[in-house]
Amino acid sequence: MTLEIILIIVSVLCLLLGFLGTFVPVLPGAPLAWLGLLAAYFNPRTPISLALLIICGVVALAVSVLDNIFPLAMTKQSGGSKAGTTGATLGLIAGFFIGPVGIILGPFAGAFIGEIIHDSSDIKKCLKAALGAFKGFLLGTGLKMIAVAFFIWIYILALIK
């Protein structure tokens, strides 16, 4: 197997795992996808420039940081606690085993349960905080998906040139 083929395989695997990582919390989505572009950079068949690679690296880093900030910020903005954010993450992990509906509803249910455990005196407040955590989760996940889809698009364009 030639080095070019190995680099193509590594690139595709990293990009696909990166996309999967946009909604699976144990996989670092954007950084994995960026590694796919890095492997492609070293392949003479894919004309990816160093400048583009650096820009994508900065985007991957920014998206990864924002993905951790959005749920916290949205939960706090909605009057929630760290328990709501932790619950949203645990709900996502549990929801992953249920399927697509679980991935979508798991963070909300987890945030709600986390808020109830933290303070069950005001159910409306718990619900509002859970909605905030859920909105933050969706915002972060959406941002990661857009960035990784863009990385995949860059790779496809580079591969067909």
Side-chain angles (χ1 to χ4, degrees):
M1 207 182 286
T2 68
L3 182 61
E4 288 179 7
I5 293 172
I6 292 170
L7 288 171
I8 288 172
I9 292 169
V10 168
S11 295
V12 169
L13 284 176
C14 286
L15 287 162
L16 291 176
L17 283 173
F19 188 76
L20 184 64
T22 62
F23 54 90
V24 175
V26 294
L27 292 174
L32 266 175
W34 182 81
L35 285 175
L37 290 179
L38 178 64
Y41 172 77
F42 290 106
N43 187 343
R45 286 182 165 222
T46 52
I48 293 176
S49 70
L50 181 60
L52 181 61
L53 189 65
I54 290 170
I55 290 168
C56 289
V58 170
V59 167
L61 180 64
V63 165
S64 297
V65 169
L66 288 173
D67 182 46
N68 290 310
I69 291 173
F70 283 150
L72 292 170
M74 298 293 278
T75 302
K76 277 188 177 183
Q77 181 184 14
S78 301
S81 66
K82 185 171 174 130
T85 304
T86 302
T89 303
L90 293 174
L92 173 65
I93 293 168
F96 181 70
F97 295 104
I98 296 170
V101 173
I103 291 171
I104 294 169
L105 296 179
F108 172 77
F112 184 70
I113 292 167
E115 287 298 333
I116 289 211
I117 291 170
H118 176 72
D119 180 14
S120 63
S121 64
D122 187 357
I123 298 298
K124 275 189 169 182
K125 181 181 175 189
C126 292
L127 185 60
K128 183 178 177 187
L131 283 170
F134 183 63
K135 287 178 191 175
F137 161 75
L138 288 179
L139 187 59
T141 299
L143 194 60
K144 284 189 300 186
M145 282 184 162
I146 290 168
V148 171
F150 184 67
F151 294 173
I152 292 169
W153 181 249
I154 288 170
Y155 179 73
I156 290 169
L157 288 178
L159 195 60
I160 61 175
K161 283 190 177 184

